[in-house]
C-alpha cells in the first residue's frame, strides 16, 4: 500500500525545549533513521535502498559530499543520509490530481515542510499565464514553451541557468554547454551561497579553489582544527573519520560559537563500542569564539608562530611562497586587545592552541559556512592559508586545507564548468571541442541573478534542481523578483516553495533521482559525482522510477537544447541524451584530469583528480608560488542593545529540505521558530526564556526586514551572538550584504533587534 502524505500542516507555535545533548549518533540515530524511512517506504524497500547507499555498485547519497573510505562499511550512510534517501525513495506520489485539488494560491500558504512531504513528482506540469493551477503538459510542449521564451529574449543574457549541487557531472557539463551555445555565462549555482568564499581565497593563495586533503591525510594528521562547522548534523560521516584520526593519535580542536554534540562525543552506530558505551570524546580543546572572530584568531596564532624559535618552515617558505615579508610585518604588529575583543577568547586559550600547533608536524584545518558567510570571509580563509603555509602544512601528507562542501556534487558541478566567471583555458577547450566561440563576458552569480530579475533584465529563470527561493537571502525581495520573470522552470524530484513563487508562466519538469534506475534505448546508464576531496566515482540507482514519464537530468537538458537551438546546431544532443558515455568522452577532452574518463570512472572507488599544491607543491597562481596575504582585522559593528545572528540548520534538515520539526542534539522538539540566545545576553536585553518575539534585522539601507513569532531559548551560544534556523530567517539577510570578492550572502552576520511578537502572519 502506498505511503500517505500528511494532509495538514503541523502546528509549530509551541516548540518544546530540553537541555542540549553532549554526544551524537548512537542508538537514537539508528532508531530515528528507521522511523523516518518507515514513514516514507516499506520495510522491504528500505532495506533494498539503504544497502546500496555510497557503495561502489550503488548510488551516491543525495545528501552531503563527504567522501567514501577505501573500504566501505555495509551501512555506509549516516542518520541524515538515511533521511535524504528516504525522502527521495519515498512511495508517496504527486499526480495531476494533486494539482487539480490544490491551486497555487493555496500551496503558497503551506510550509516548505508540508510541500516536501507530499512525495515524488510524476509528470510535467504547466502553470499558464493568468492561471492559478498547474495542469499536465507533454514533454514536447514543455520544451517548446521554454524555447519560445528563450527565442523571444532581446539577448541570451536575459536567461539565467541555476544549478543545485545534486546535479551529476554529465548533466552539469551538458547544461553549461547548452547555456554557452545559447550565448550566456549566466550560470549561478548553490556554491555562490556557501563555499564561494573558499574558492576565491584558495584560488588566489594556492591556485586551486578546492581542498587539498584526502581521507588518508585526516587519518595521518597530528592536529585537526574544525572551525565554523557542525559535522554532527551537516556532515555526520565526518565523525567516523575524526574518530579514526583520534584513535591514531590526532588532537582535535573545535572553534565555534555554539558547542555541538557531534564534536563533543561520538557514539559510532557502526560498532558495538559506539552503541554500548560512552563513545569517543572527539574535541580536546573547544574555543567558543564570537561570531566573525576567526580571522583575528588565526592572525593571533600566526603572530605566536612567528615569535616562536623554529616556529616556521623557513625552507618551504623560501622555495614555495611569495609575499612573506609583508604578511609577517602585519602579523607581528597585531594588537592583542583587538584580538581579544574580536574573538571573545581568553589569551591563555589562544596560547594553548598555539602550543598544540607548534608541537604538531601535520596540521589540517576544516571549515564550512561558519567561515564563508561573513563580510570578511575571503580574508579569513586567506589567513587560514597563511597559518598553514607558515609551517609547511600544504603539500605534506596529513596536512592541508579542508573546506567541507555541502551538496553531494556541488564541487563536481563547478569542475564541469558551472561557473559564471569561467577561465579562458576552459572556454578555449570547450570551443575547440564543439566548434564554436563561447561567450567571454562574465555572467551572473546567484545574488546578481536576483538583482537581474528584480530589475527586469533576467526574464527566464531555469533551475536544475534546488529550491532557489528558499535558499537565497532577502526572501521578500527574492520572491518579488521571481514573480517579475516571464517564465520560471524547475527540474525537480519533489515539490518545494520555488514551485509556488512563479513567473507569469511556470513549468515543473520531474526528473529521476539518485536512487532511480536510469534506462535509455542504449541500455542502463550511470552518472558520476565528485566528492568534497576531489574523488570522482560512479553512481547508479536501482529503484523503478516513480513514473514511466520521468526523464533524467541529462535527457531533459539535451532535449531542451535541441528544441531551443534548432536542428542546425551540430552538437549531438540526441546521442548525449541516451549515452552518457558519449558525454564523458567529450568531458575527457575538455576538463583537465578527466582523460580516459569512461575507463577510470568504472573502477571501484573511482579516481582522484590532480591537485598541484597537494601532489607536487606546485602552485598555479599569478606568482607561480603559494601566496601569503595581508588581511586587515575587521569585526562587525554591533550596537550594545543588538545581537549578531547566524542562520543555521536543525538536525532534521538538509539545506532547505526539512525532514522533521526536531533538533534533537540542541534539545528543540516540535518546532523551528526559535532563537537561541546566551542567558547573560538575554538578561541584559530583557528576554526571558519562552518569550515570543519578532526578529528585525538592521542594515545600512534602513529597510525593515522582519521574521515574526520566534520563541526565545536560553542557550550556551557565544556572548553577543544568536542563532536561528534558515530558511525561516533568510528574510532577515539583506540581498546587498555580501562577502567581499565572493559576493556570498552574509548569513552568519546579521545584526538584529528584538521586538514584541506582533502576531503577524508567519510566512
Amino acid at each position: 500500500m502506498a505511503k500517505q502524505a500528511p494532509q495538514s500542516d503541523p502546528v509549530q507555535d509551541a516548540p518544546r525545549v530540553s537541555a542540549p545533548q553532549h554526544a551524537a549518533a548512537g542508538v537514537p540515530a539508528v532508531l530515528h533513521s528507521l522511523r523516518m524511512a518507515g514513514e516514507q517506504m516499506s520495510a522491504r524497500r528500505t532495506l533494498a535502498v539503504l544497502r546500496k547507499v555510497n557503495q561502489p555498485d550503488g548510488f551516491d547519497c543525495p545528501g552531503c559530499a563527504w567522501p567514501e573510505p577505501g573500504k566501505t562499511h555495509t551501512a555506509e550512510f549516516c542518520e541524515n543520509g538515511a533521511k535524504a534517501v528516504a525522502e527521495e525513495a519515498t512511495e508517496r506520489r504527486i499526480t495531476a490530481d494533486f494539482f487539480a485539488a490544490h491551486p497555487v494560491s493555496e500551496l503558497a500558504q503551506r510550509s516548505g515542510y508540508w510541500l516536501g512531504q507530499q512525495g515524488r513528482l510524476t509528470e510535467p506540469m504547466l502553470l499558464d499565464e493568468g492561471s492559478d493551477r498547474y495542469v499536465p503538459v507533454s514533454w514536447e510542449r514543455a520544451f517548446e514553451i521554454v524555447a519560445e521564451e528563450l527565442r523571444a529574449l532581446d539577448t541570451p543574457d536575459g536567461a539565467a541557468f541555476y544549478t543545485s549541487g545534486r546535479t551529476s557531472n554529465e548533466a552539469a557539463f551538458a547544461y553549461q554547454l547548452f547555456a554557452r551555445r545559447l550565448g550566456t555565462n549566466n550560470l549561478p549555482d548553490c556554491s555562490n551561497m556557501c563555499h564561494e568564499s573558499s574558492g576565491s581565497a584558495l584560488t588566489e593563495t594556492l591556485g586551486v579553489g578546492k581542498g587539498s586533503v584526502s581521507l588518508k591525510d585526516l587519518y595521518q594528521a597530528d592536529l585537526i582544527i574544525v572551525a565554523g562547522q557542525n559535522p554532527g548534523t551537516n556532515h555526520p560521516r565526518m565523525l567516523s573519520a575524526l574518530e579514526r584520526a583520534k584513535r591514531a593519535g590526532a588532537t582535535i580542536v573545535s572553534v565555534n560559537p555554539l558547542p555541538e554534540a557531534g564534536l563533543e562525543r561520538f557514539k559510532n552506530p557502526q560498532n558495538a563500542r559506539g552503541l554500548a558505551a560512552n563513545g569517543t570524546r572527539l574535541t580536546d580543546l573547544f574555543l567558543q569564539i564570537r561570531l566573525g572572530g576567526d580571522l583575528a584568531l588565526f592572525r593571533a596564532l600566526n603572530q605566536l608562530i612567528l615569535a616562536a624559535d623554529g616556529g616556521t618552515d623557513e625552507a618551504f617558505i623560501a622555495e614555495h611562497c611569495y609575499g612573506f615579508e609583508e604578511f609577517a610585518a602585519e602579523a607581528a604588529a597585531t594588537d592583542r586587545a583587538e584580538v581579544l575583543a574580536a574573538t571573545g577568547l581568553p589569551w591563555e586559550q589562544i596560547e594553548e592552541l598555539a602550543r598544540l600547533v607548534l608541537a604538531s608536524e601535520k596540521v589540517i584545518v576544516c571549515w564550512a559556512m561558519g567561515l564563508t558567510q561573513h563580510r570578511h570571509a575571503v580574508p579569513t580563509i586567506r589567513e587560514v592559508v597563511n597559518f598553514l603555509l607558515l609551517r609547511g602544512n600544504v603539500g605534506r601528507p596529513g596536512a592541508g586545507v579542508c573546506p567541507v562542501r555541502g551538496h553531494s556534487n556541488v564541487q563536481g558541478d563547478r569542475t564541469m564548468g558551472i561557473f559564471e566567471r569561467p577561465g579562458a583555458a576552459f572556454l578555449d577547450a570547450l570551443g575547440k571541442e564543439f566548434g564554436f566561440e563561447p561567450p567571454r563576458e562574465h555572467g551572473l552569480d546567484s545574488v546578481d541573478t536576483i538583482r537581474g530579475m528584480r530589475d527586469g533584465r533576467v526574464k527566464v529563470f531555469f533551475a536544475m534542481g534546488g529550491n532557489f527561493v528558499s535558499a537565497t537571502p532577502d526572501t521578500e525581495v527574492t520572491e518579488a523578483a521571481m514573480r517579475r520573470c516571464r517564465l520560471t522552470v524547475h527540474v525537480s524530484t519533489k515539490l518545494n516553495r520555488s514551485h509556488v513563487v512563479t513567473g507569469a508562466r511556470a513549468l515543473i519538469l520531474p526528473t529521476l533521482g539518485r536512487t532511480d534506475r536510469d534506462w535509455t534505448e542504449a541500455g542502463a546508464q550511470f552518472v558520476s559525482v565528485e566528492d568534497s576531496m576531489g574523488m570522482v566515482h560512479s553512481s547508479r540507482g536501482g529503484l523503478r522510477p516513480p513514473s514511466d514519464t520521468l526523464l533524467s537530468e541529462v535527457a531533459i537538458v539535451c532535449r531542451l537544447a535541441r528544441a531551443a537551438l534548432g536542428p542546425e546546431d551540430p552538437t549531438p544532443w540526441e546521442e548525449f541524451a541516451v549515452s552518457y558515455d558519449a558525454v564523458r568522452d567529450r568531458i575527457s577532452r575538455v576538463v583537465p584530469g578527466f582523460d580516459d574518463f569512461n575507463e577510470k570512472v568504472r573502477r571501484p572507488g573511482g579516481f582522484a583528480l590532480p591537485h598541484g599544491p597537494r601532489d607536487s607543491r606546485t602552485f598555479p597562481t599569478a606568482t607561480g608560488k603559494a601566496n601569503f596575504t595581508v588581511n586587515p582585522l575587521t569585526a562587525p559593528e554591533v550596537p550594545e542593545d543588538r545581537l549578531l545572528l547566524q542562520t543555521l540548520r536543525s538536525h532534521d534538515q538538509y539545506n532547505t529540505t526539512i525532514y522533521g520539526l526536531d533538533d534533537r542534539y540542541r534539545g528543540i522538539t516540535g518546532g523551528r521558530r526559535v532563537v537561541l540566545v546566551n542567558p547573560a545576553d538575554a538578561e541584559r536585553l530583557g528576554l526571558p526564556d519562552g518569550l515570543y518575539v519578532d526578529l528585525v534585522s538592521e542594515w545600512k539601507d534602513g529597510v525593515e526586514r522582519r521574521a515574526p513569532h520566534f520563541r526565545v531559548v536560553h542557550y550556551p551560544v557565544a556572548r553577543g551572538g544568536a542563532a536561528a534556523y534558515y530558511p525561516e530567517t533568510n528574510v532577515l539577510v539583506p540581498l546587498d550584504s555580501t562577502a567581499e570578492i565572493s559576493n556570498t550572502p552574509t548569513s552568519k552576520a546579521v545584526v538584529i533587534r528584538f521586538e514584541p511578537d506582533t502576531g503577524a502572519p508567519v510566512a
Side-chain angles (χ1 to χ4, degrees):
M1 182 176 178
K3 296 286 183 176
Q4 297 300 309
Q7 298 304 301
S8 59
D9 260 340
V11 176
Q12 300 185 49
D13 284 342
R16 301 179 297 281
V17 179
S18 60
Q21 296 186 15
H22 298 282
V27 173
V30 176
L31 296 177
H32 196 57
S33 300
L34 293 175
R35 181 177 68 81
M36 287 280 196
E39 291 174 357
Q40 301 280 354
M41 303 180 286
S42 68
R44 181 177 181 181
R45 188 178 179 89
T46 297
L47 178 62
V49 70
L50 289 182
R51 68 184 182 88
K52 289 293 187 180
V53 185
N54 295 324
Q55 299 297 331
D57 63 342
F59 63 92
D60 196 64
C61 177
C64 79
W66 190 253
E68 281 72 69
K71 182 178 180 181
T72 55
H73 193 278
T74 302
E76 192 57 58
F77 57 87
C78 63
E79 176 186 346
N80 274 3
K83 295 173 189 174
V85 169
E87 287 267 320
E88 183 178 289
T90 181
E91 293 175 285
R92 299 171 181 172
R93 301 288 181 263
I94 295 178
T95 66
D97 291 341
F98 172 88
F99 290 104
H102 298 285
V104 174
S105 55
E106 177 201 321
L107 294 176
Q109 303 305 311
R110 298 284 195 169
S111 70
Y113 170 66
W114 184 89
L115 292 172
Q117 289 296 306
Q118 298 310 301
R120 287 287 298 273
L121 296 158
T122 57
E123 57 187 309
M125 304 299 296
L126 167 67
L127 178 70
D128 223 336
E129 190 165 6
S131 177
D132 193 32
R133 293 182 191 273
Y134 278 102
V135 296
V137 64
S138 69
W139 281 108
E140 290 72 16
R141 179 56 186 149
F143 294 138
E144 187 54 36
I145 288 171
V146 181
E148 289 170 359
E149 293 288 354
L150 292 175
R151 286 193 290 264
L153 295 172
D154 296 332
T155 167
D157 291 327
F161 297 91
Y162 176 75
T163 314
S164 158
R166 285 171 60 171
T167 304
S168 70
N169 287 329
E170 293 75 12
F173 184 81
Y175 192 50
Q176 63 82 29
L177 174 61
F178 164 53
R180 292 183 169 117
R181 289 293 277 175
L182 191 68
T184 185
N185 281 315
N186 287 350
L187 285 158
D189 73 334
C190 56
S191 284
N192 301 145
M193 293 174 285
C194 54
H195 268 288
E196 197 67 60
S197 298
S198 300
S200 298
L202 294 177
T203 299
E204 178 185 352
T205 56
L206 300 180
V208 179
K210 302 179 182 182
S212 67
V213 303
S214 66
L215 278 179
K216 184 178 179 180
D217 290 315
L218 275 177
Y219 305 152
Q220 297 176 350
D222 298 323
L223 174 65
I224 301 171
I225 300 174
V226 182
Q229 184 194 359
N230 174 19
T233 286
N234 300 333
H235 317 90
R237 286 195 301 141
M238 182 179 176
L239 299 181
S240 298
L242 292 177
E243 178 187 47
R244 180 168 172 179
K246 190 69 182 288
R247 294 190 180 280
T251 297
I252 297 175
V253 175
S254 301
V255 182
N256 208 51
L258 284 77
E260 298 291 8
L263 283 170
E264 291 188 53
R265 189 171 293 276
F266 175 46
K267 297 181 179 181
N268 192 335
Q270 295 182 339
N271 59 55
R273 180 178 58 248
L275 290 173
N278 290 327
T280 302
R281 179 189 171 195
L282 294 182
T283 294
D284 296 285
L285 176 64
F286 172 47
L287 277 65
Q288 188 166 20
I289 198 166
R290 285 181 178 165
L291 275 169
D294 303 273
L295 172 55
L297 171 62
F298 281 97
R299 169 67 68 75
L301 292 173
N302 290 337
Q303 183 186 54
L304 292 170
I305 292 169
L306 286 164
D309 289 338
T312 63
D313 186 335
E314 295 180 0
F316 173 81
I317 292 170
E319 182 177 356
H320 296 291
C321 298
Y322 177 86
F324 172 75
E325 289 76 14
E326 294 84 355
F327 151 75
E330 180 81 6
T334 300
D335 182 77
R336 181 181 298 188
E338 194 173 357
V339 169
L340 297 179
T343 63
L345 299 171
W347 186 255
E348 295 74 20
Q349 198 173 45
I350 297 174
E351 287 182 316
E352 182 180 1
L353 176 53
R355 285 192 293 272
L356 292 173
V357 172
L358 291 168
S360 301
E361 181 182 350
K362 298 169 289 187
V363 180
I364 291 173
V365 181
C366 305
W367 71 87
M369 266 68 83
L371 265 61
T372 66
Q373 293 181 325
H374 293 271
R375 176 69 178 165
H376 56 283
V378 174
T380 296
I381 297 164
R382 291 193 304 222
E383 198 68 29
V384 171
V385 175
N386 288 339
F387 165 75
L388 292 168
L389 293 178
L390 269 179
R391 291 179 54 78
N393 280 306
V394 175
R396 172 188 294 164
V401 293
C402 184
V404 183
R405 307 300 299 261
H407 256 153
S408 62
N409 198 43
V410 63
Q411 187 160 293
D413 289 347
R414 181 59 56 87
T415 302
M416 290 296 108
I418 300 294
F419 191 33
E420 74 281 355
R421 292 175 284 120
F426 176 85
L427 293 179
D428 290 345
L430 188 72
K432 179 180 179 182
E433 178 64 26
F434 290 96
F436 79 112
E437 178 54 41
R440 301 280 168 163
E441 184 177 351
H442 289 172
L444 303 177
D445 64 12
S446 292
V447 168
D448 284 334
T449 293
I450 298 169
R451 294 169 178 153
M453 292 188 293
R454 176 197 63 192
D455 299 339
R457 291 179 285 113
V458 173
K459 298 178 173 63
V460 174
F461 177 84
F462 193 104
M464 183 62 65
N467 181 2
F468 188 80
V469 162
S470 293
T472 45
D474 222 339
T475 307
E476 292 182 5
V477 172
T478 297
E479 293 194 356
M482 190 72 74
R483 290 187 170 105
R484 289 204 66 190
C485 289
R486 280 287 311 150
L487 175 69
T488 51
V489 186
H490 291 87
V491 178
S492 306
T493 57
K494 301 187 70 183
L495 198 63
N496 63 51
R497 181 153 181 82
S498 292
H499 301 127
V500 298
V501 178
T502 73
R505 291 201 288 179
L507 284 163
I508 300 174
L509 305 181
T511 189
L512 298 177
R514 291 275 178 85
T515 58
D516 297 328
R517 187 170 60 242
D518 188 353
W519 280 89
T520 72
E521 60 191 65
Q525 302 298 312
F526 68 89
V527 296
S528 65
V529 297
E530 178 186 345
D531 66 33
S532 193
M533 293 181 176
M535 291 292 297
V536 178
H537 58 273
S538 63
S539 177
R540 47 176 62 78
L543 296 179
R544 180 175 178 176
S547 165
D548 292 338
T549 64
L550 295 189
L551 295 178
S552 70
E553 290 178 326
V554 177
I556 290 171
V557 171
C558 293
R559 291 179 61 175
L560 171 60
R562 179 57 73 205
L565 300 174
E568 64 276 9
D569 182 79
T571 310
W573 299 110
E574 291 79 8
E575 181 185 9
F576 289 171
V578 299
S579 172
Y580 306 167
D581 277 355
V583 181
R584 286 187 283 268
D585 280 341
R586 299 303 189 101
I587 292 172
S588 71
R589 296 195 288 271
V590 172
V591 184
F594 283 82
D595 50 295
D596 299 321
F597 189 9
N598 271 310
E599 185 272 324
K600 290 192 295 189
V601 79
R602 285 172 161 83
R603 300 173 187 169
F607 63 98
L609 291 176
H611 190 289
R614 177 195 66 208
D615 301 336
S616 58
R617 285 187 162 176
T618 56
F619 301 93
T621 63
T623 64
K625 294 190 174 186
N627 292 317
F628 280 98
T629 53
V630 174
N631 304 294
L633 292 187
T634 59
E637 296 181 5
V638 185
E640 181 66 23
D641 56 347
R642 306 292 191 260
L643 294 180
L644 197 65
L645 176 75
Q646 65 167 322
T647 71
L648 43 67
R649 298 175 184 166
S650 77
H651 191 61
D652 271 356
Q653 172 181 0
Y654 191 78
N655 290 347
T656 60
T657 301
I658 312 302
Y659 304 132
L661 302 179
D662 300 342
D663 193 349
R664 188 171 73 249
Y665 296 149
R666 297 191 181 110
I668 310 296
T669 306
R672 294 177 48 81
R673 301 189 77 83
V674 296
V675 57
L676 311 181
V677 181
N678 184 286
D681 286 328
E683 182 178 3
R684 174 172 60 86
L685 297 173
L687 300 171
D689 192 292
L691 177 71
Y692 279 83
V693 296
D694 286 0
L695 309 180
V696 182
S697 69
E698 297 181 348
W699 201 58
K700 62 185 180 182
D701 62 4
V703 173
E704 179 180 287
R705 296 172 175 87
R706 181 180 297 267
H709 196 64
F710 276 72
R711 183 198 191 280
V712 173
V713 176
H714 289 185
Y715 198 86
V717 301
R719 291 287 303 273
Y725 305 130
Y726 72 82
E728 291 85 350
T729 49
N730 284 356
V731 66
L732 301 173
V733 185
L735 179 65
D736 294 325
S737 179
T738 60
E740 302 166 348
I741 301 174
S742 69
N743 207 30
T744 295
T746 58
S747 300
K748 298 293 184 287
V750 183
V751 176
I752 59 167
R753 67 176 186 266
F754 299 83
E755 293 191 353
D757 185 4
T758 58
V762 173

